[in-house]
């Protein structure tokens, strides 16, 4: 089955620790995105990548880092510099067309204690 | 600045019709998307409008007026499974999605 997977579904970390969230897709999509979702707010873009070995900052990139070494994978690291890391993190992907639809993975709920 | 406005919450009765509105002010416009999101799950794509008018897809329809910066999602023959949040998103001049906060729809029997 083609799709986007994120793991784990739930993640708990202590304050001050870095944590990496996984995102894998087998849809052969070129572009991949990371969003953060907080209660009462719209999705906010953290980072995106339109091609392997290239990525751009979104609106709220501070305290996060990414890599895009393979087309299928776009991991997100939440560093200790991120002030409020507790949130629901969503990964999405789409084909190369500018206005193409983004499809989402199931999300990872990160709680920092 | 860029802004997407949707009602926070709406309530409707099973079997009825509900209209969820979305107004937007963005730097450029390359289409408007509606997504459905059940609690704790991923958003799933419902519709895309780039030209004015109504797009119908089964029980769901989406309307766009670019001159008014306005869209609505119409849900007919409501079912309990339609209880979810509905997200409006506009693609701006840079082809980035600007998201509304979502409308939580509660369906009552």
């Amino acid at each position: 089955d083609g799709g986007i997977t994120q793991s784990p579904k739930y993640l708990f970390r202590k304050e001050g620790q870095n944590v990496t969230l996984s995102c894998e897709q087998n849809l052969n999509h070129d572009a991949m995105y990371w969003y953060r979702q907080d209660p009462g707010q719209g999705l906010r873009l953290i980072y995106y990548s339109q091609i392997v070995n290239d990525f751009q900052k979104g609106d709220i990139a501070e305290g996060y880092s990414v890599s895009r070494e393979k087309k299928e994978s776009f991991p997100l690291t939440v560093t200790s510099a991120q002030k409020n890391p507790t949130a629901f993190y969503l990964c999405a992907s789409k084909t190369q067309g500018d206005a193409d639809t983004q499809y989402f993975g199931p999300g990872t709920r990160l709680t920092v204690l | 600045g860029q802004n997407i406005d949707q009602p926070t919450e709406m309530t409707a009765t099973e079997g009825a019709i509900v209209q969820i509105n979305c107004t937007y002010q963005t730097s450029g416009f390359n289409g408007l998307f509606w997504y459905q999101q059940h609690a704790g799950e991923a958003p799933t794509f419902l519709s895309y409008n780039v030209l004015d008018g109504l797009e119908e897809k089964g029980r769901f329809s989406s309307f766009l007026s670019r001159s008014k910066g306005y869209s609505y999602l119409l849900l007919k023959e409501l079912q309990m499974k339609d209880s979810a949040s509905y997200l409006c998103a506009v693609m701006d001049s840079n082809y980035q999605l600007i998201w509304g906060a979502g409308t939580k729809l509660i369906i009552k029997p």
Side-chain angles (χ1 to χ4, degrees):
Chain A
D1 270 22
I4 305 172
T5 58
Q6 292 185 242
S7 61
K9 179 71 173 173
Y10 299 95
L11 189 56
F12 296 88
R13 279 293 182 269
K14 292 183 179 179
E15 197 171 332
Q17 291 181 331
N18 291 357
V19 60
T20 298
L21 280 58
S22 166
C23 178
E24 304 278 333
Q25 55 95 5
N26 59 5
L27 300 167
N28 200 34
H29 284 172
D30 295 294
M32 297 186 74
Y33 302 79
W34 274 106
Y35 291 95
R36 170 182 173 140
Q37 188 174 36
D38 295 282
Q41 297 188 43
L43 275 66
R44 290 184 289 169
L45 183 64
I46 304 172
Y47 268 99
Y48 65 101
S49 169
Q50 294 178 310
I51 196 168
V52 174
N53 292 322
D54 188 45
F55 50 82
Q56 285 77 41
K57 293 181 178 180
D59 300 319
I60 56 164
E62 185 175 348
Y64 299 97
S65 65
V66 293
S67 62
R68 188 84 186 276
E69 297 176 1
K70 299 187 298 182
K71 187 176 185 177
E72 302 80 15
S73 179
F74 191 40
L76 173 75
T77 297
V78 184
T79 75
S80 57
Q82 166 50 230
K83 299 301 180 189
N84 296 296
T86 295
F88 189 45
Y89 290 88
L90 288 160
C91 178
S93 70
K94 73 175 187 70
T95 54
Q96 190 65 285
D98 285 330
D100 286 351
T101 301
Q102 292 185 21
Y103 294 93
F104 286 84
T108 292
R109 186 165 298 280
L110 172 64
T111 302
V112 175
L113 307 171
Chain B
Q2 307 201 92
N3 196 49
I4 311 286
D5 284 317
Q6 310 178 231
T8 302
E9 187 173 297
M10 299 181 71
T11 302
T13 304
E14 190 176 15
I17 299 173
V18 71
Q19 178 175 310
I20 302 174
N21 295 326
C22 172
T23 58
Y24 63 88
Q25 289 180 305
T26 56
S27 56
F29 179 84
N30 282 298
L32 185 144
F33 293 80
W34 284 97
Y35 283 79
Q36 180 191 61
Q37 185 179 26
H38 286 97
E41 298 183 8
T44 55
F45 170 73
L46 291 176
S47 68
Y48 170 67
N49 294 67
V50 67
L51 299 175
D52 289 351
L54 187 68
E55 296 275 348
E56 297 186 79
K57 194 184 292 185
R59 293 189 299 115
F60 292 7
S61 302
S62 56
F63 171 83
L64 174 68
S65 169
R66 288 172 297 170
S67 62
K68 295 182 179 179
Y70 168 70
S71 173
Y72 68 73
L73 180 69
L74 191 71
L75 290 72
K76 302 177 185 176
E77 301 169 18
L78 286 170
Q79 302 174 11
M80 296 305 292
K81 67 178 182 179
D82 297 330
S83 292
S85 289
Y86 291 85
L87 313 181
C88 173
V90 172
M91 187 166 281
D92 69 10
S93 56
N94 295 319
Y95 294 95
Q96 297 301 332
L97 285 177
I98 310 301
W99 294 83
T103 299
K104 182 178 181 180
L105 179 62
I106 300 168
I107 309 295
K108 295 186 174 180

